[in-house]
Amino acid sequence: QVQLKESGPGLVQPSETLSLTCTVSGFSLTSYSVSWVRQPSGKGPEWMGRMWYDGDTAYNSALKSRLSISRDTSKNQVFLKMNSLQTDDTGTYYCTRDQSTASDWFAYWGQGTLVTVSS
Amino acid sequence: IQLTQSPSLLSASVGDRVTLSCKGSQNINNYLAWYQQKLGEAPKLLIYNTNSLQTGIPSRFSGSGSGTDYTLTISSLQPEDVATYFCYQYNNGWTFGGGTKLELK
């Protein structure tokens, strides 16, 4: 059974760094890619970046200068770090998995974690 | 590629045929999916590759389109279909539309 679960602080101060962890089960990170997607309240989702199954990464060009995605395959975890947070970074952050190794659409989603940027 | 969904808000009655639109700023080459999101939940995959129905999704949902213009159709609206619907393209990068909120009239 494929599962993904996000964890991290619910509140971050402006200008500080956000660190989130996605813990997965039911599949191997060396076989499937995992993406981070965020969603401000009342708005559409935004793809942030991807950890490919081979360890390569891809980032949204609008976030690339602030964003880093890494993984620990032994712990089945994918990490997101984003610096210089501002209030418009507030929203729900999801980790997602492609449906199959040959697909680019997200069939599996975590429950999401709400991140509020505020002093 | 930017995706524009219309309308942003749609009111319809149970049993109505409902059509939601998604327009890309460039050719999407049929690499388009649709998601349903209910309040407080993660998005749920309905359709991929323009018209392929995800396993377990009712057959009243269907997708069509080509080039830059795509449509999600619900053939007979049910109360449980009240949600916000997002299109998503994976032809060039990965981007979502702004959503159409579907409510009951």
Side-chain angles (χ1 to χ4, degrees):
Chain A
Q1 182 183 1
V2 173
Q3 292 187 322
L4 305 97
K5 187 172 184 179
E6 307 86 352
S7 59
L11 180 65
V12 180
Q13 303 277 343
S15 80
E16 294 198 342
T17 296
L18 172 67
S19 295
L20 297 176
T21 299
C22 174
T23 302
V24 309
S25 59
F27 68 97
S28 171
L29 291 176
T30 59
S31 296
Y32 293 91
S33 301
V34 169
S35 286
W36 285 95
V37 174
R38 70 177 181 175
Q39 185 174 28
S41 180
K43 295 187 178 181
E46 177 185 36
W47 174 78
M48 300 180 70
R50 177 187 290 266
M51 170 60 72
W52 292 98
Y53 62 91
D54 62 0
D56 200 1
T57 52
Y59 297 108
N60 185 322
S61 58
L63 301 173
K64 190 173 184 177
S65 64
R66 301 195 287 140
L67 183 62
S68 175
I69 296 174
S70 59
R71 71 180 183 180
D72 184 334
T73 56
S74 67
K75 294 184 178 179
N76 295 318
Q77 292 180 324
V78 179
F79 308 105
L80 176 148
K81 286 190 187 304
M82 188 163 70
N83 59 32
S84 304
L85 254 61
Q86 301 302 320
T87 55
D88 59 2
D89 292 311
T90 293
T92 300
Y93 286 68
Y94 298 96
C95 55
T96 69
R97 200 207 85 175
D98 294 345
Q99 179 155 357
S100 71
T101 56
S103 68
D104 264 0
W105 56 89
F106 311 127
Y108 301 94
W109 295 66
Q111 64 191 20
T113 187
L114 178 62
V115 174
T116 302
V117 181
S118 175
S119 55
Chain B
I1 297 178
Q2 293 183 337
L3 299 178
T4 301
Q5 292 188 243
S6 62
S8 55
L9 176 63
L10 180 59
S11 297
S13 301
V14 172
D16 282 354
R17 182 180 181 87
V18 172
T19 299
L20 285 64
S21 174
C22 177
K23 186 175 181 66
S25 59
Q26 302 174 30
N27 187 353
I28 295 171
N29 288 311
N30 293 114
Y31 293 118
L32 187 107
W34 289 93
Y35 289 88
Q36 176 193 68
Q37 187 177 32
K38 297 183 178 180
L39 199 62
E41 298 182 2
K44 178 181 179 181
L45 179 67
L46 301 176
I47 301 277
Y48 59 92
N49 289 345
T50 296
N51 56 17
S52 295
L53 193 66
Q54 175 68 344
T55 302
I57 301 302
S59 59
R60 65 179 180 273
F61 291 91
S62 65
S64 63
S66 63
T68 60
D69 296 309
Y70 296 82
T71 299
L72 174 70
T73 300
I74 307 173
S75 60
S76 178
L77 185 66
Q78 300 302 303
E80 61 266 32
D81 299 335
V82 168
T84 301
Y85 292 82
F86 298 99
C87 56
Y88 159 73
Q89 71 81 26
Y90 41 98
N91 177 58
N92 184 353
W94 303 272
T95 52
F96 290 86
T100 292
K101 185 176 182 179
L102 179 58
E103 63 178 25
L104 287 180
K105 191 180 293 182

